[in-house]
Amino acid sequence: MKKLEMAYNIPDSAVVLDWADEEEVHLFITTSNDEYQVTYVNGLWRCNCSDYHYRGTKTMRGLNHGDIVGSYCCKHILKAIMYLSSLKDGAYKTLDDYLG
């Protein structure tokens, strides 16, 4: 639950939806430490943060020769999901509405 709380504490203003279509979503999340890219491609969430890469590789060791396949959720991925959900609950009913 701590990671969920950490994600909740990242302000929506720190999230930029860069690209979205039927198959892919790309977001940038800026924290006090750095900027992170979160992607959703072919049903898998990925992040370029060190936490995701360390824990994701550790939990997926042996699959695809240690490649990260997208099962570990870091706080940035959780925030991206929260952010996209908030767009749906607000004035925007689809990502296309948001992207204009």
Side-chain angles (χ1 to χ4, degrees):
M1 293 303 286
K2 183 174 181 170
K3 201 155 300 270
L4 191 58
E5 183 178 334
M6 292 166 56
Y8 182 77
N9 288 331
I10 298 172
D12 283 351
S13 60
V15 182
V16 174
L17 179 58
D18 183 54
W19 170 260
D21 66 16
E22 299 84 26
E23 298 177 12
E24 294 186 30
V25 178
H26 297 253
L27 303 101
F28 289 97
I29 299 177
T30 304
T31 67
S32 58
N33 298 331
D34 212 342
E35 180 177 75
Y36 303 96
Q37 183 177 23
V38 175
T39 59
Y40 177 79
V41 179
N42 296 323
L44 299 175
W45 287 97
R46 293 187 174 93
C47 182
N48 67 340
C49 75
S50 59
D51 186 35
Y52 177 86
H53 282 273
Y54 170 75
R55 294 177 196 271
T57 301
K58 187 175 179 181
T59 58
M60 291 292 112
R61 197 172 313 283
L63 295 176
N64 299 324
H65 306 288
D67 291 344
I68 297 172
V69 296
S71 69
Y72 176 74
C73 278
C74 65
K75 66 183 176 186
H76 309 108
I77 291 173
L78 292 171
K79 180 59 185 185
I81 294 168
M82 289 176 191
Y83 180 79
L84 292 171
S85 178
S86 74
L87 293 180
K88 192 89 166 142
D89 292 339
Y92 306 105
K93 296 304 175 196
T94 68
L95 288 175
D96 288 338
D97 292 342
Y98 176 80
L99 295 172

